[in-house]
Amino acid sequence: MAAPITAALLIIGDEILSGRTKDKNIGYIAEYLTGVGIDLCEVRIVPDVEDEIVAALNSLRQRYTYLFTTGGIGPTHDDITADAVARAFGVGIDHDPRAVAMLRERYQPHELNEARLRMARIPDGADLIENPISKAPGFKIGNVFVMAGVPAIMQSMLDTIAPTLQTGARMLAETIEAEGLAEGNYAAGLADIASAHPGVSIGSYPSFSTSGFRNQIVVRGRDPVAVARAVAAVQDLLHRLKSDGVPH
Amino acid sequence: MAAPITAALLIIGDEILSGRTKDKNIGYIAEYLTGVGIDLCEVRIVPDVEDEIVAALNSLRQRYTYLFTTGGIGPTHDDITADAVARAFGVGIDHDPRAVAMLRERYQPHELNEARLRMARIPDGADLIENPISKAPGFKIGNVFVMAGVPAIMQSMLDTIAPTLQTGARMLAETIEAEGLAEGNYAAGLADIASAHPGVSIGSYPSFSTSGFRNQIVVRGRDPVAVARAVAAVQDLLHRLKSDGVPH
């Protein structure tokens, strides 16, 4: 099987780190990439500090097939992502005529002030990513995709980007409810199954609510046969434990 | 003013990176730490891979006053956080009698199997963090706090930890609605205000819904007088722009 296609996600913004804004992009992007066969391997959230953004950009873009960023591409003084990306790549940055043309679709000439033109500052050599909602584009340079932080705009940019991405075999995931069984009861058997099925990864995920714990076992892998075999082994284990009347 | 108290958060878990589980801890912890006067400066999400966890632990614990982790302390084979922490600190790890005693409050002797005892494996020299919900403790070693991933348990552990933390002056945040004004119209004035008020940080946060864009300006700082001055300057700017009838 071909090498997996990997990705990292870099969320840029003080407002996420202060807790003022609750991030809605991580879960969406994670699910989206998984769905198209790209493994999201790491996420970082950094503040609106250029040195921090540059360091994270350079660390992540060198490690993974793709790096996606969200946030910091608006018109205000705290929007410094484009400059940080230019610095990370060691390239210049200036008003991009293609980006200016996009902004002209939204703004009258007298509205296109210096602040709004900031949104047309694009690192040299980058390709633009369209923004159908507010026109100010994202961009791609090297293996880095720079997107807006506003979820609706980010989602639309991701739809634009997706067909251009190299994708791998889709990761399949099967969820098995461990109804009435506690993790501690199936953990040993599950570890044995995990060892015996090296082509898949098996996780056990408890959640807790007023009605108590609910445990789900998830089998993930790219080979449908291997996943099916591991799922059958897990179901067999749970069935055996229930028949034995193992305490919860 | 004293040096700010800083923190990083490390979320451990394949299920977050695959998008299967939507993280609920980042926003909660971010808001919590901000509320007690600790600056959350960085967040990372890494998979259930020991090398990755160890690298992130060592990178983050050396940079910030505190490092908080969530996830990977259950009884199943994919719960490897405690071992990774022991390796990061270069210390041994074994069943901790205090942790075993806690588990005994929940489990009958015949229920306390090897898998469940895994939850009592604690790195040498660590202090335990109580878990009132399911008893399996978290722990603290050096400046690292290891907590459960299940939100209800994590939240309770954070309440236990909080009184022991060194905290700084609380970061104050004032939000000003930029009603009827677009970012591009107040960006230049806001940048001037930001330059003139070095003791505070000023952010502009657009959100988008079916009713269009809503812009909020947030002034943050530790000195109430400095924050109030900057807020007044922002309100004055917005008032002037509205009076001038600036296009949206």
Side-chain angles (χ1 to χ4, degrees):
Chain A
M1 223 173 264
I5 312 297
T6 60
L9 171 60
L10 178 61
I11 307 278
I12 298 160
D14 290 347
E15 71 278 22
I16 305 291
L17 291 170
S18 75
R20 186 192 166 275
T21 301
K22 301 296 179 288
D23 168 79
K24 290 174 185 155
N25 291 333
I26 295 173
Y28 185 93
I29 293 171
E31 209 169 338
Y32 195 105
L33 293 178
T34 301
V36 299
I38 295 174
D39 291 354
L40 181 61
C41 297
E42 184 170 350
V43 178
R44 294 196 195 178
I45 309 177
V46 297
D48 299 323
V49 174
E50 193 174 291
D51 286 350
E52 300 293 328
I53 302 170
V54 170
L57 283 165
N58 280 334
S59 162
L60 296 172
R61 74 188 175 92
Q62 281 155 22
R63 266 201 91 180
Y64 304 103
T65 315
Y66 297 118
L67 169 58
F68 299 88
T69 80
T70 68
I73 62 168
T76 56
H77 64 282
D78 54 330
D79 290 305
I80 58 174
T81 299
D83 286 275
V85 171
R87 205 180 115 197
F89 278 85
V91 301
I93 178 166
D94 206 345
H95 295 128
D96 183 306
R98 300 164 302 172
V100 174
M102 287 173 175
L103 293 176
R104 287 213 173 102
E105 293 172 30
R106 182 171 180 211
Y107 299 107
Q108 298 295 315
H110 69 280
E111 292 174 328
L112 210 48
N113 57 21
E114 199 184 313
R116 290 198 170 108
L117 281 172
R118 248 177 91 79
M119 298 190 283
R121 280 168 56 81
I122 304 289
D124 294 349
D127 295 323
L128 303 187
I129 303 168
E130 274 189 19
N131 168 351
I133 294 173
S134 57
K135 297 302 172 187
F139 59 87
K140 172 198 189 261
I141 179 166
N143 62 339
V144 178
F145 293 85
V146 174
M147 305 189 289
V150 174
I153 302 177
M154 182 284 293
Q155 292 169 18
S156 146
M157 288 180 171
L158 203 52
D159 286 336
T160 303
I161 293 164
T164 73
L165 299 173
Q166 200 185 346
T167 55
R170 239 189 95 178
M171 184 67 82
L172 306 168
E174 292 283 345
T175 299
I176 303 140
E177 296 283 340
E179 279 170 90
L181 287 171
E183 280 196 299
N185 289 118
Y186 60 70
L190 202 64
D192 291 343
I193 294 171
S195 301
H197 295 79
V200 303
S201 79
I202 302 180
S204 172
Y205 304 116
S207 55
F208 180 78
S209 69
T210 45
S211 52
F213 275 96
R214 173 189 185 185
N215 296 310
Q216 295 182 306
I217 297 167
V218 177
V219 176
R220 300 174 74 236
R222 293 197 160 76
D223 175 357
V225 175
V227 170
R229 276 189 189 135
V231 167
V234 172
Q235 282 166 335
D236 186 54
L237 167 71
L238 298 182
H239 184 73
R240 248 184 308 127
L241 290 172
K242 280 178 202 168
S243 309
D244 294 352
V246 164
H248 300 174
Chain B
M1 224 174 262
I5 311 296
T6 61
L9 170 61
L10 178 61
I11 307 277
I12 298 161
D14 290 347
E15 72 278 22
I16 304 291
L17 291 169
S18 75
R20 184 192 169 278
T21 301
K22 302 295 179 288
D23 168 78
K24 289 173 186 155
N25 291 334
I26 296 173
Y28 185 92
I29 293 171
E31 210 169 337
Y32 196 105
L33 293 178
T34 300
V36 298
I38 295 173
D39 290 355
L40 180 62
C41 297
E42 184 171 350
V43 177
R44 294 195 194 178
I45 309 177
V46 297
D48 299 322
V49 174
E50 193 174 292
D51 286 350
E52 299 294 329
I53 301 170
V54 170
L57 283 166
N58 280 334
S59 162
L60 296 172
R61 74 188 175 94
Q62 280 155 23
R63 266 202 90 182
Y64 304 103
T65 316
Y66 298 118
L67 169 59
F68 299 88
T69 80
T70 68
I73 62 167
T76 56
H77 63 281
D78 53 331
D79 290 305
I80 59 174
T81 299
D83 286 274
V85 172
R87 205 180 116 200
F89 278 85
V91 301
I93 178 167
D94 205 347
H95 294 130
D96 182 307
R98 299 165 303 172
V100 174
M102 287 174 176
L103 293 176
R104 285 210 174 105
E105 293 171 30
R106 182 172 180 209
Y107 299 107
Q108 299 294 316
H110 71 278
E111 292 174 328
L112 209 49
N113 59 21
E114 197 184 316
R116 289 197 169 110
L117 281 172
R118 247 176 92 77
M119 297 190 284
R121 281 168 56 78
I122 304 290
D124 294 348
D127 295 322
L128 303 188
I129 303 169
E130 275 190 20
N131 168 351
I133 294 174
S134 58
K135 298 300 172 189
F139 58 87
K140 172 197 189 263
I141 179 167
N143 62 339
V144 179
F145 294 85
V146 174
M147 305 188 289
V150 174
I153 303 177
M154 181 284 292
Q155 291 170 18
S156 145
M157 288 180 171
L158 203 51
D159 286 337
T160 303
I161 293 165
T164 73
L165 298 174
Q166 200 187 344
T167 55
R170 239 188 97 181
M171 183 68 81
L172 306 167
E174 292 284 343
T175 300
I176 303 141
E177 296 282 342
E179 278 169 272
L181 287 172
E183 280 196 299
N185 288 118
Y186 60 69
L190 203 64
D192 290 343
I193 294 171
S195 301
H197 295 79
V200 303
S201 78
I202 302 179
S204 173
Y205 305 116
S207 56
F208 180 77
S209 68
T210 45
S211 52
F213 276 96
R214 172 191 187 184
N215 296 310
Q216 295 182 306
I217 296 167
V218 178
V219 176
R220 300 174 74 238
R222 293 196 160 78
D223 176 356
V225 175
V227 169
R229 277 190 189 134
V231 167
V234 172
Q235 282 166 334
D236 186 54
L237 167 71
L238 299 181
H239 184 74
R240 248 183 308 126
L241 290 171
K242 281 179 200 167
S243 308
D244 293 353
V246 164
H248 302 173

